[in-house]
């Protein structure tokens, strides 16, 4: 089987297509997930060239409130089962909750994407036991309040140091180094200047020796630079940053707009691989 975190030299970055299953997407407002619509959307992302589908049922947006384990499972587990019936595409579960990770992997997800870097009780041990690939992300603070007063002396070195410590903790907990990917966490407890500085220095994260995942698609840092463009006007900005990230050796691009990103990435890879 092809491994999710396997990147032979010269191979393009992988595209992780985002499937948000929260009250404002593929849901009637909380209780009922519109499974058919969500499945069609997944099918579309697969046809457009997604390599991984990232399913999240916990809104991690700035200011978001907590969701219970039961509610989060109700949102994502039936969908994981349904995707498994139509495709063997790798599925990552975007969650910070140990029980959701466990249920999702049991249902057929094959990767854990945790914006909280496996810091919940039992999360690291579970990932070690299940032997699945993980993405550990940096966040300053907690989702509800993280954008209030982000503060760093040096954002690049502090984010790097945090990731280094979490990598060591993962390895100590028995997670295979080949199963770890890292993410600086754009927008998670960072001002516009912090986000831009992290992006400019993305190359430096290669020093950690693990595949880098970048998630900037439609994020507010793009809106801010584009004179407060709303989320539905951030496509071109998202493509620009996805291309720059791939140029700077990011290995996984977490995106909403799969087709546009795949095309941009093809050009990026063609230029990268020429002598
Ligand atoms: C609403 C607002 C819903 C913002 C979701 C979000 C990342 C992630 C997210 C990321 C990794 C979004 C965020 N962002 N996982 N999950 N890296 N690894 O903009 O940057 O998609 S949720």
């Amino acid at each position: 089987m092809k491994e999710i975190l396997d990147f032979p030299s010269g191979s393009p970055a992988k595209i992780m297509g985002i499937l948000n299953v929260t009250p404002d997407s593929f849901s009637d407002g909380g209780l009922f997930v519109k499974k058919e619509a969500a499945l069609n959307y997944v099918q579309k992302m697969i046809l457009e060239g997604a390599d991984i589908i990232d399913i999240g049922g916990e809104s991690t947006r700035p200011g978001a409130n907590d969701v219970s384990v039961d509610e989060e499972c109700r949102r994502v587990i039936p969908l994981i089962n349904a995707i498994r019936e139509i495709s063997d595409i790798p599925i990552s579960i975007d969650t910070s909750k140990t029980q959701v990770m466990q249920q999702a992997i049991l249902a057929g997800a094959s990767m854990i994407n945790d914006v909280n870097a496996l810091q919940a009780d039992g999360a690291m041990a579970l990932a070690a036991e299940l032997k699945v690939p993980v993405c550990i992300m940096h966040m300053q603070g907690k989702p509800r309040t993280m954008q209030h007063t982000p503060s760093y002396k040096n954002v690049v070195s502090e984010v790097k140091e945090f990731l280094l410590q979490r990598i060591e903790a993962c390895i100590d907990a028995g997670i295979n180094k080949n199963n770890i990917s890292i993410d600086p966490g754009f927008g998670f407890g960072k001002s516009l200047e912090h986000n831009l500085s992290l992006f400019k220095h993305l190359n430096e994260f290669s020093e950690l020796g693990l595949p880098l995942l970048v998630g900037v698609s439609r994020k507010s840092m793009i809106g801010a630079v584009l004179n407060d463009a709303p989320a539905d006007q951030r496509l071109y900005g998202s493509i620009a940053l996805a291309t720059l990230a791939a140029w700077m050796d990011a290995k996984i691009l977490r995106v909403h707009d799969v087709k546009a990103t795949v095309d941009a990435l093809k050009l990026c890879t063609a230029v990268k691989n020429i002598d």
Side-chain angles (χ1 to χ4, degrees):
M1 201 193 95
K2 266 201 339 197
E3 303 285 344
I4 299 178
L5 297 185
D6 197 22
F7 300 94
S9 82
S11 64
K14 292 186 184 176
I15 303 292
M16 174 184 268
I18 300 170
L19 181 68
N20 270 322
V21 197
T22 48
D24 37 43
S25 49
F26 300 118
S27 138
D28 69 351
L31 281 177
F32 180 73
V33 171
K34 291 180 184 148
K35 201 155 82 181
E36 286 306 311
L39 261 188
N40 284 339
Y41 187 72
V42 168
Q43 192 68 269
K44 175 172 180 272
M45 290 198 287
I46 293 172
L47 290 171
E48 290 178 345
D51 299 292
I52 305 164
I53 303 295
D54 187 50
I55 302 191
E58 173 191 51
S59 188
T60 42
R61 77 179 55 212
N65 283 313
D66 291 344
V67 175
S68 73
V69 168
D70 281 356
E71 174 58 24
E72 202 177 321
C73 282
R74 262 197 301 278
R75 290 176 185 174
V76 298
I77 302 300
L79 257 178
I80 295 173
N81 286 320
I83 296 169
R84 273 291 154 268
E85 285 180 16
I86 61 164
S87 169
D88 58 8
I89 189 159
I91 297 169
S92 69
I93 175 70
D94 186 345
T95 190
S96 296
K97 296 189 183 75
T98 307
Q99 289 143 297
V100 179
M101 295 171 188
Q102 184 162 30
Q103 296 296 311
I105 301 295
L106 195 68
S110 29
M111 174 172 177
I112 296 169
N113 171 27
D114 184 3
V115 300
N116 196 36
L118 302 175
Q119 294 180 97
D121 280 350
M124 218 168 241
L126 179 74
E129 182 194 322
L130 295 175
K131 300 190 187 323
V132 290
V134 300
C135 176
I136 51 176
M137 198 196 80
H138 173 273
M139 162 165 58
Q140 184 180 79
K142 294 270 163 275
R144 207 169 56 77
T145 52
M146 64 190 175
Q147 290 307 103
H148 292 181
T149 49
S151 155
Y152 302 83
K153 277 204 214 64
N154 181 323
V155 67
V156 178
S157 56
E158 284 173 51
V159 170
K160 248 166 80 177
E161 184 54 34
F162 171 85
L163 291 174
L164 190 59
Q165 301 217 345
R166 295 311 291 160
I167 293 165
E168 283 169 1
C170 283
I171 290 170
D172 287 347
I175 298 178
N176 191 322
K177 196 170 182 199
N178 297 330
N179 268 341
I180 307 174
S181 61
I182 54 173
D183 182 344
F186 289 98
F188 287 84
K190 283 130 191 145
S191 68
L192 173 61
E193 288 69 28
H194 296 142
N195 286 317
L196 294 174
S197 176
L198 272 176
F199 204 100
K200 180 168 184 178
H201 296 279
L202 265 185
N203 273 328
E204 297 178 31
F205 288 88
S206 308
E207 291 164 20
L208 298 174
L210 293 174
L212 181 69
L213 186 154
V214 167
V216 286
S217 183
R218 299 186 193 172
K219 281 193 176 167
S220 69
M221 64 183 288
I222 295 170
V225 172
L226 301 179
N227 305 310
D228 292 321
D232 67 356
Q233 299 296 313
R234 296 175 188 169
L235 171 61
Y236 307 144
S238 297
I239 298 308
L241 289 190
T243 309
L244 283 170
W247 185 254
M248 290 189 279
D249 259 356
K251 299 296 190 208
I252 303 178
L253 305 172
R254 183 181 176 279
V255 305
H256 299 88
D257 303 286
V258 173
K259 173 74 165 91
T261 314
V262 166
D263 277 4
L265 185 58
K266 280 184 181 162
L267 274 299
C268 185
T269 306
V271 174
K272 256 192 146 175
N273 288 343
I274 205 81
D275 278 336

